[in-house]
Amino acid sequence: MLLPPFTLLDQAGQPRAFPSGRHALLIFWWHECPTCQLSLPVLAAVCGAYGADLDLWVVAQDAPADRAALEAAGFACPVLDDAALETAWRYGIDAVPTVILAGPAGEEHLRFVGFARADWEGLFGRLQAVTGAAPPPIDWGAFPAWRPGCGPRHFLPGAYERLEAAHGPFVPPPGGNAR
């Protein structure tokens, strides 16, 4: 399935367009979510290991606060401003964090929601195949085997109605978000 194209500004005010002709790892994220907070060390490690070889972007629902939390954890890849919540709505994001691996033309290869060690370990294998870079060292014992995601900002009262009026009903992707 081809994902919808988007252009969002990064923390330097530069536009980032998807798809870009490179593989992309898109992470829909919100600092208010404890599971997103749990993922911070893994995100920082993934950015360090793979950020130069593919588009590795956090799609932030509250850009200034999200950016501050990510940078404090050592995440140095682009953080894109989706404070309008339109990209998350169009992607059918029904929980954060949601991680999507996409091919160069924008074709979705993998999607998972929340935090599961098995999902991340599987993703590392895919990223190693795409980039040739070894997986980052992670102390998996420091993480729970699984933790569910949280509701995204676009499900808050007012935001949901505004987005539904502008873009039509919310539609999760075929097969759901965790696949």
Side-chain angles (χ1 to χ4, degrees):
M1 166 175 100
L2 281 179
L3 295 164
F6 67 79
T7 300
L8 295 171
L9 298 179
D10 68 15
Q11 64 266 43
Q14 297 301 310
R16 302 284 181 143
F18 173 85
S20 71
R22 292 171 30 125
H23 280 84
L25 186 62
L26 307 173
I27 301 131
F28 289 82
W29 200 86
W30 184 25
H31 76 280
E32 292 283 334
C33 170
T35 305
C36 290
Q37 292 288 331
L38 171 73
S39 72
L40 281 170
V42 177
L43 295 179
V46 169
C47 174
Y50 303 112
D53 299 316
L54 52 83
D55 293 333
L56 199 158
W57 300 336
V58 166
V59 182
Q61 299 209 322
D62 182 357
D66 290 350
R67 187 176 309 116
L70 287 155
E71 289 173 357
F75 185 82
C77 289
V79 178
L80 308 186
D81 185 353
D82 188 31
L85 307 171
E86 293 174 3
T87 302
W89 184 270
R90 291 176 49 230
Y91 274 59
I93 302 301
D94 60 8
V96 291
T98 293
V99 177
I100 300 171
L101 177 62
E107 65 278 14
E108 183 175 320
H109 291 294
L110 176 102
R111 181 185 293 230
F112 61 87
V113 174
F115 186 94
R117 288 189 310 229
D119 289 337
W120 280 103
E121 289 172 325
L123 175 64
F124 285 178
R126 302 279 296 266
L127 293 174
Q128 184 174 12
V130 166
T131 67
I138 301 288
D139 175 11
W140 291 115
F143 297 95
W146 176 80
R147 179 151 317 146
C150 305
R153 265 188 77 223
H154 53 274
F155 281 6
L156 293 175
Y160 188 94
E161 293 80 8
R162 174 184 60 79
L163 289 160
E164 185 175 45
H167 302 288
F170 178 81
V171 179
N177 273 307
R179 29 178 218 252

